[in-house]
Each structure stands twice: as structure tokens, then as C-alpha cells.
Amino acid sequence: MSHTILIARSEIEKEAIFRFRYQVYIEEFHKNHLPADHAKKMLSDRADAYAILYYSIQNSELSATVRSQRGTEGPFTEDQYLFFDLKKFEPFIDFQKLAIVDRLIVAPAFRKSALAHEMMKATYVGGLEVGTKICFVTCDDHLLPMYLRYGFMSY
């Protein structure tokens, strides 16, 4: 089954993604250390300001989302700069050629489908379109084998 992957452009779409993240990360996985607005039940952070938010809808419900932040869209956050030690890349590559992909979430009903692959493919194709050369991904340890199969390396 092929899924239609969309890019969130409106505040309504983005807020739906932030609520979906909250449902999965906070309510389902109990990742209470993440920056969340518990009153609104939304999870977002500074990286969302310049990120491209991909999502998929099935039966009028969000079925998946992933965030791609590219240097072509805006600056990386100070936390990302430090976490990935981006300073060491400055002599070799323009930051507009870097990307960070994270916050991949797939709804429970689709976790054994190809939807995660399709979401990652969308970020890959989008990165190719703007000339991305290096892409960092953050993930939980149990997802590392999936990303290694995509060709990512531990850093």
C-alpha cells in the first residue's frame, strides 16, 4: 500500500503534528523529558521553526510524521550545533549542505508496514532536491538497525 506523503504548510497542519507527537512520545512512550506543552498536549521545539514537517494521513487521521531540518531552510539550533559537533564540519562543507532528520513517528496500526520507509524516502528525495550532502539522524537505540540498513553510520 502506497501512502501519500504531504508537507505541513499551515499552522493547523503543524499543530496536528505536534499533538500527534505528544500522543506517541508522551502518552504512549512516556518520554516525559521532552519539551512538551502539557496543557495543549503538543510537543514541539525550536528546531520546528525552520524544519520541513512531512506527514501522512489515513482515514482522516495522521498515520506518520517525520521532521527534516536542512541548512537551506534556516539555522540549526545551538543544541544541535553542540550535539553533532557541527563546528568540525565547517572547514569541509557549507551548512546549507547539511540536514538533520528526526521525530519519525508511525501510528501503531502502520508500524509493521512500509510507511516508515516511505517517510524516510520523502526526506531523502527532498534533501537531494536542495543538494544535501550529509544527513544526521537521531533515534532511539532500538531503531538504530533500521537506520544502518538505510546506509547511515553511527556518529
Side-chain angles (χ1 to χ4, degrees):
M1 170 189 244
S2 182
H3 300 269
T4 301
I5 310 298
L6 306 166
I7 294 176
R9 304 212 187 272
S10 72
E11 286 305 309
I12 291 171
E13 291 169 304
K14 292 175 185 180
E15 288 179 4
I17 289 168
F18 301 154
R19 283 191 298 278
F20 183 57
R21 283 185 194 164
Y22 188 93
Q23 288 172 349
V24 175
Y25 283 122
I26 304 298
E27 294 177 347
E28 182 181 350
F29 295 148
H30 306 289
K31 293 179 176 265
N32 296 317
H33 63 282
L34 296 175
D37 181 334
H38 298 290
K40 293 181 182 176
K41 294 192 170 195
M42 295 193 331
L43 191 149
S44 64
D45 58 40
R46 289 184 303 243
D48 289 312
Y50 298 104
I52 297 168
L53 304 177
Y54 294 90
Y55 70 99
S56 178
I57 301 255
Q58 297 294 322
N59 303 321
S60 302
E61 297 285 328
L62 264 166
S63 55
T65 185
V66 65
R67 174 170 71 187
S68 179
Q69 189 180 2
R70 301 181 197 129
T72 54
E73 306 300 323
F76 296 105
T77 67
E78 184 178 337
D79 291 341
Q80 291 169 323
Y81 195 85
L82 294 172
F83 182 80
F84 292 108
D85 197 11
L86 295 179
K87 184 175 180 145
K88 74 164 69 168
F89 293 91
E90 284 178 348
F92 308 106
I93 191 163
D94 182 338
F95 277 9
Q96 291 193 341
K97 302 296 181 188
L98 299 178
I100 299 171
V101 172
D102 61 359
R103 300 280 194 243
L104 174 63
I105 302 172
V106 178
F110 299 97
R111 288 190 185 147
K112 300 223 184 259
S113 74
L115 186 52
H117 170 75
E118 291 179 40
M119 298 301 291
M120 290 303 295
K121 180 180 172 187
T123 68
Y124 180 78
V125 169
L128 287 177
E129 290 171 354
V130 297
T132 298
K133 299 293 182 195
I134 297 175
C135 180
F136 298 94
V137 175
T138 60
C139 68
D140 287 340
D141 290 345
H142 74 278
L143 295 174
L144 188 55
M146 177 183 77
Y147 288 107
L148 292 173
R149 283 192 302 273
Y150 289 139
F152 288 96
M153 301 180 328
S154 292
Y155 170 66

